[in-house]
Amino acid sequence: MKYLAILLSGRGSNFVAIADSIDAGRIRDARISAVISNKPDAAGIATARQRGLNALVIPSKGKTREQHDHAVVAALKENRVDLICLAGYMRLLSPWFVQQYPHKILNIHPSLLPAFPGLEAQEQAFAYGVKVTGCTVHFVDEELDHGPIIVQRSCQVLETDNERTLAARILEQEHIAYTEAVNLILSGNFEIVGRRFCKKN
Ligand code: GAR
């Protein structure tokens, strides 16, 4: 059995996609041991409670990054955690946090990195006028939206799209991509060569 922690700040649809995949057996031999939000009013934390999961609020407001990260890592260490999934966690992790869990922290970003890192990636892609965009699941390293790429899924930008319809189409791909990435990592059947994530045989 592998134990996942989910870190989120908002809606939590990627968290729900992972939880549904576990419940449906698309991700096997895994459990979510903690769902942690830095925002008390995150919808994702209410959903975690409804699902009977261990839902923790660790407010970031009024704390330095180091103070907050120490509190989050302490909570992670109290719960068994093999893999940490950032799912709309709108905070940068300090280098210290990243170093506690080498190659054990994943993030999902709503663009084909390295295009459009940072905030509002879907809006950035729409405004830039790209014809194809998508999402990326990657390891978290000490730089923003930067670590080795595990899974990318693409989608077309349609003539009829606006920012909202494009973001919704990317989100469908995000939900599929995160399950794929978690399965790849939990299999342990990979190596990282430079920046390249390589499946073994
Ligand atoms: C998702 O689109 C995710 O890719 C994005 O926040 C949204 C969270 O939605 N994350 C980032 O932009 C991180 N840089 P959710 O709360 O419904 O999963």
Side-chain angles (χ1 to χ4, degrees):
M1 182 66 63
K2 298 283 187 187
Y3 292 86
L4 272 54
I6 310 277
L7 270 55
L8 53 77
S9 302
R11 179 176 56 183
S13 73
N14 278 289
F15 147 56
V16 168
I18 294 168
D20 284 350
S21 286
I22 291 173
D23 290 351
R26 288 187 296 272
I27 298 173
R28 291 210 214 142
D29 299 322
R31 269 189 209 151
I32 295 174
S33 58
V35 180
I36 300 176
S37 173
N38 65 312
K39 301 263 188 205
D41 55 355
I45 212 77
T47 309
R49 287 201 188 102
Q50 281 159 14
R51 294 181 80 118
L53 295 169
N54 178 27
L56 305 170
V57 174
I58 303 177
S60 48
K61 207 172 172 186
K63 293 199 191 94
T64 66
R65 186 172 312 285
E66 279 63 32
Q67 285 169 336
H68 183 251
D69 279 2
H70 273 80
V72 173
V73 168
L76 292 169
K77 298 231 156 125
E78 276 168 28
N79 292 279
R80 199 176 140 184
V81 172
D82 298 299
L83 186 64
I84 299 164
C85 298
L86 308 190
Y89 187 63
M90 304 312 269
R91 282 186 63 81
L92 270 178
L93 303 189
S94 60
W96 174 81
F97 189 149
V98 175
Q99 284 155 17
Q100 302 305 299
Y101 294 100
H103 293 134
K104 289 193 185 309
I105 311 175
L106 311 187
N107 181 45
I108 188 151
H109 184 75
S111 74
L112 294 174
L113 289 171
F116 313 122
L119 292 175
E120 299 180 344
Q122 307 96 324
E123 287 83 348
Q124 291 186 55
F126 185 78
Y128 196 92
V130 295
K131 303 299 184 195
V132 177
T133 185
C135 64
T136 304
V137 183
H138 64 92
F139 285 111
V140 172
D141 68 8
E142 291 164 21
E143 290 176 54
L144 177 67
D145 298 331
H146 178 267
I149 291 170
I150 303 161
V151 170
Q152 289 188 308
R153 292 184 67 91
S154 62
C155 63
Q156 301 287 325
V157 182
L158 307 179
E159 294 288 330
T160 50
D161 266 330
N162 57 42
E163 292 174 2
R164 194 178 43 78
T165 58
L166 179 60
R169 192 148 358 84
I170 295 170
L171 192 63
E172 284 175 22
Q173 297 306 313
E174 293 186 42
H175 296 163
I176 301 167
Y178 225 149
T179 290
E180 280 181 24
V182 167
N183 275 324
L184 283 167
I185 301 307
L186 293 186
S187 78
N189 212 14
F190 65 88
E191 58 188 343
I192 300 164
V193 183
R195 277 196 52 86
R196 299 184 63 242
F197 176 90
C198 305
K199 286 182 225 172
K200 284 195 194 156
N201 54 55

